[in-house]
Amino acid sequence: MTRIYNGISTGLIWLLSFSSILISCSKDAKINTDNSIESLVDIENIESNEWWNDAVFYEIFVRSFYDSNGDGIGDLRGIIEKLDYLNDGNPDTDSDLGVTALWLMPIFPSPSYHGYDVTDFRSINEDYGSINDFKALINAAHSRGIKIIIDFVGNHTSDQHPWFTASADNQSKRDWYLWNSTKPNYNGPWGQEVWHERNSSYYYGIFWSGMPDLNYKNQEVTNEIKNTIRFWKEDIGVDGFRIDAVKHWIENGDRQENTSETLAWWRDLYVFQKSLDPGLMTVGEAWTSTQNIAPYSDHRLDYCFEFDLSYAIIDGINNQNSSNLKSKMNEIITTYEANQYGTFLTNHDQDRSFYRFGMDERKAKLAARILLSLPGVPYIYYGEEIGMLGQKPDENIRRPMQWDSSTNSGFSSAQPWHGINSNYQEYNAIDQQQDRESIWSQYQIWIKYRSQNSALRTGSYSFVESNNNRLFSYVRADSDNNNLFIVIHNLSSQSSNELNLRATSSSLPEGSYNLVNLLNNDVLGSITITSNGAFNTSLSEVSLEGFNSYLLKLERP
């Protein structure tokens, strides 16, 4: 990987001397006053180590995961103590969940419980521990093969951040934020107030008055954020960033989402990001439609979360109809680069999936199987694997983790920062780990299937037609055609008898195969694939129970 150096004029000479490598400067490349290099960059050929496609992520709200010091608040040391629950580093055991990457929600100092209004981008919230605690967590996680990414909330700061207090007092950093002497005559994208008064002037904050937006038209702000990213990567050792609110980065008057200036800023950051390390990952939160997300995944961020797909999975199961889920997957695979999008059921901003499934364990298990067998990069919200409940307001979907049935659910020896869910005695990690029919066990089993089979991690996807719209079926095949699957999910509460499967084309190689149910190694039938991957087969002796799945491996007789 040719490294791109920002902030040093000698980098231009170095780059020009290696013009045959991936990144080249234009004839009229120049040094700006801030010493950054403006150049034409071969974006398409920037090297990227896409390790995330082999990963299963687990999202943690640190405050609610595990309290190691008895103050009622989860902390970084608590995560270290629970790493063996997440992944014990031994692929042969079944006592751990098997996830291979963690996303930590904001860990920076903040006046709020959630941490999305930051007062210092280069230190740790004292409720959670210290920089040394975080380094210890990274080392312990890496020793188990677990990557760690952190939430980076760079669109705005807290109004208590020293940058903003100086800006508001007009002492310095005035143009690090957006100010007007009079209040502009427009509201935000969802009708909210975005201009807020302070010291007889008005500042812009798209989310609320306590979160003033940074001004990324100011190169000093961009440089500071780049240096902060460098700090967390090179000095601390994080593997990537989940970046909040990426579509709001730069406003253009009353246009406050998806501006051309925002897209240009992310293109520049991508070049900088990969210059630090081709494996440094960014995943963006662009809470919008697939088509509006797509530009952000085009060499601006590595990928973004697919919100529409999350709705389609949950609604498809609740409605017992696969039609919208099928069409959404067809749109996705024709929109993004292969596998470059994040998949999930719900996250920290949404009512929990088990609540949305009406506490129906069959639906929760089916959702896990769909999530972990589809292409993309899967994310599991902490507690989703054990059936935690949660309905807005936000505090109630971020309650403490339910570890066992004891007082405070094993989360803390003290009164927790927020009340435990009422279902903790029936739904907790210890009990579910001991039950091979539990929701937890379905997550553990299907994470293992995904980790052991490249087709389920990085393989191609093609839709399989079936005899009714209650079935959601597809092919997953690796690039070498050595790892081949047909996946069938029954979204109905009723059993489906006589499974008819057909495709006019697919990525499957020509030949005859046995269909082996990976769940128990039973041969359920055979299938013949033609030269273009087409097939038409009927498993007349096979019945698929309601809200259940088959993972059929294609094996030569």
Side-chain angles (χ1 to χ4, degrees):
M1 167 67 182
T2 302
R3 297 180 68 85
I4 303 168
Y5 290 84
N6 286 6
I8 53 172
S9 59
T10 54
L12 180 58
I13 300 171
W14 186 88
L15 283 169
L16 288 172
S17 68
F18 286 87
S19 59
S20 63
I21 310 180
L22 298 178
I23 299 174
S24 59
C25 293
S26 65
K27 290 185 297 183
D28 56 349
K30 62 181 182 291
I31 305 300
N32 290 329
T33 55
D34 65 346
N35 290 328
S36 66
I37 299 172
E38 283 189 2
S39 63
L40 292 178
V41 176
D42 188 356
I43 291 289
E44 295 291 336
N45 289 316
I46 288 181
E47 185 180 342
S48 182
N49 170 21
E50 296 170 356
W51 57 264
W52 47 89
N53 285 124
D54 287 317
V56 175
F57 280 80
Y58 190 87
E59 178 190 357
I60 292 178
F61 182 40
V62 180
R63 185 173 296 273
S64 285
F65 196 60
Y66 184 67
D67 171 20
S68 71
N69 60 5
D71 63 358
I73 296 173
D75 47 54
L76 298 171
R77 289 284 172 183
I79 298 175
I80 294 174
E81 291 188 27
K82 292 298 185 179
L83 280 177
D84 280 350
Y85 168 82
L86 298 168
N87 189 330
D88 62 10
N90 184 350
D92 295 327
T93 60
D94 292 328
S95 58
D96 60 322
L97 196 58
V99 298
T100 53
L102 305 180
W103 156 24
L104 305 187
M105 288 171 61
I107 58 174
F108 307 136
S110 168
S112 301
Y113 85 94
H114 50 71
Y116 282 98
D117 45 348
V118 175
T119 56
D120 184 350
F121 284 111
R122 297 198 195 184
S123 53
I124 300 291
N125 187 326
E126 64 180 13
D127 286 343
Y128 297 163
S130 66
I131 283 284
N132 286 336
D133 291 329
F134 185 54
K135 287 181 177 179
L137 171 58
I138 290 177
N139 290 335
H142 284 177
S143 72
R144 291 166 170 80
I146 303 173
K147 304 279 191 179
I148 289 188
I149 69 169
I150 60 173
D151 222 318
F152 191 77
V153 192
N155 174 72
H156 49 265
T157 69
S158 167
D159 65 347
Q160 297 178 38
H161 195 296
W163 298 346
F164 184 75
T165 57
S167 182
D169 291 341
N170 213 7
Q171 297 174 350
S172 63
K173 294 184 170 55
R174 182 67 171 180
D175 60 351
W176 281 45
Y177 297 85
L178 302 166
W179 291 94
N180 260 326
S181 57
T182 59
K183 184 178 180 180
N185 187 28
Y186 60 84
N187 291 331
W190 49 93
Q192 81 278 25
E193 190 73 63
V194 294
W195 288 98
H196 315 282
E197 187 175 7
R198 181 74 62 93
N199 297 341
S200 301
S201 294
Y202 294 87
Y203 66 92
Y204 181 85
I206 194 168
F207 292 108
W208 72 296
S209 60
M211 294 179 175
D213 280 42
L214 286 164
N215 176 18
Y216 282 101
K217 293 181 179 179
N218 182 343
Q219 187 63 40
E220 290 182 351
V221 176
T222 292
N223 292 345
E224 178 62 29
I225 294 303
K226 285 181 176 180
N227 287 332
T228 299
I229 289 172
R230 186 193 301 274
F231 166 79
W232 286 103
K233 173 57 186 173
E234 296 186 346
D235 294 1
I236 308 301
V238 301
D239 299 294
F241 302 91
R242 178 268 186 184
I243 303 184
D244 188 66
V246 298
K247 66 178 183 175
H248 299 296
W249 226 249
I250 300 178
E251 295 71 31
N252 188 346
D254 61 358
R255 185 176 179 191
Q256 300 159 70
E257 300 178 312
N258 308 318
T259 64
S260 59
E261 294 90 341
T262 292
L263 292 172
W265 194 93
W266 286 114
R267 178 62 56 84
D268 174 69
L269 189 78
Y270 183 83
V271 174
F272 171 76
Q273 164 200 339
K274 296 306 177 185
S275 77
L276 296 178
D277 184 343
L280 183 61
M281 188 201 85
T282 53
V283 53
E285 182 217 28
W287 198 335
T288 183
S289 65
T290 298
Q291 295 306 314
N292 283 331
I293 291 171
Y296 293 97
S297 297
D298 180 16
H299 300 92
R300 292 180 173 93
L301 298 115
D302 288 301
Y303 61 99
C304 293
F305 290 107
E306 234 310 320
F307 283 86
D308 283 356
L309 180 59
S310 73
Y311 306 144
I313 293 172
I314 291 178
D315 291 346
I317 294 172
N318 278 335
N319 298 331
Q320 301 186 35
N321 189 303
S322 65
S323 298
N324 186 50
L325 183 50
K326 294 172 185 175
S327 62
K328 175 50 62 177
M329 278 304 303
N330 287 339
E331 180 186 8
I332 284 171
I333 63 173
T334 57
T335 299
Y336 302 113
E337 289 189 22
N339 301 304
Q340 301 311 310
Y341 49 94
T343 61
F344 65 101
L345 299 179
T346 55
N347 66 19
H348 61 280
D349 286 324
Q350 300 165 304
D351 292 345
R352 282 187 172 270
S353 60
F354 197 44
Y355 167 79
R356 294 177 66 184
F357 288 136
M359 293 184 66
D360 189 325
E361 291 188 22
R362 300 172 304 164
K363 291 182 177 181
K365 294 173 186 177
L366 176 59
R369 294 191 293 266
I370 293 174
L371 175 70
L372 293 165
S373 59
L374 280 176
V377 184
Y379 283 74
I380 301 165
Y381 185 37
Y382 81 96
E384 200 160 46
E385 77 279 12
I386 58 172
M388 281 183 62
L389 291 172
Q391 182 185 17
K392 281 182 176 286
D394 287 345
E395 292 90 334
N396 292 340
I397 54 180
R398 304 169 187 173
R399 292 181 185 271
M401 178 69 174
Q402 295 162 203
W403 291 106
D404 58 39
S405 59
S406 67
T407 302
N408 300 331
S409 192
F411 164 74
S412 176
S413 60
Q415 181 70 27
W417 76 273
H418 193 55
I420 304 292
N421 266 321
S422 60
N423 73 339
Y424 77 94
Q425 292 185 324
E426 296 81 23
Y427 293 92
N428 60 73
I430 291 294
D431 289 346
Q432 293 216 17
Q433 283 177 296
Q434 298 170 358
D435 178 5
R436 295 309 290 171
E437 300 300 320
S438 68
I439 300 171
W440 184 92
S441 290
Q442 285 297 293
Y443 274 93
Q444 190 271 333
I445 290 167
W446 283 70
I447 290 172
K448 178 162 281 192
Y449 288 148
R450 190 178 183 96
S451 67
Q452 292 175 342
N453 294 280
S454 59
L456 299 180
R457 299 192 308 275
T458 58
S460 62
Y461 166 98
S462 53
F463 169 63
V464 174
E465 296 181 26
S466 53
N467 50 323
N468 64 66
N469 60 13
R470 298 187 301 274
L471 297 181
F472 178 43
S473 308
Y474 42 90
V475 168
R476 299 301 311 278
D478 69 2
S479 57
D480 296 328
N481 288 326
N482 292 322
N483 202 226
L484 311 171
F485 290 93
I486 293 178
V487 189
I488 310 172
H489 303 291
N490 184 359
L491 275 57
S492 170
S493 60
Q494 304 299 314
S495 295
S496 183
N497 301 313
E498 189 176 352
L499 304 178
N500 297 315
L501 307 172
R502 58 190 179 275
T504 56
S505 64
S506 75
S507 55
L508 294 176
E510 183 178 5
S512 295
Y513 302 87
N514 288 329
L515 295 173
V516 180
N517 182 11
L518 205 63
L519 309 181
N520 56 19
N521 290 320
D522 286 348
V523 177
L524 299 188
S526 60
I527 189 171
T528 299
I529 313 295
T530 65
S531 58
N532 64 343
F535 57 86
N536 190 341
T537 190
S538 178
L539 304 179
S540 58
E541 303 297 323
V542 174
S543 176
L544 181 56
E545 294 181 2
F547 296 130
N548 223 310
S549 307
Y550 280 139
L551 181 57
L552 303 180
K553 189 169 186 178
L554 277 64
E555 295 185 352
R556 298 280 185 180

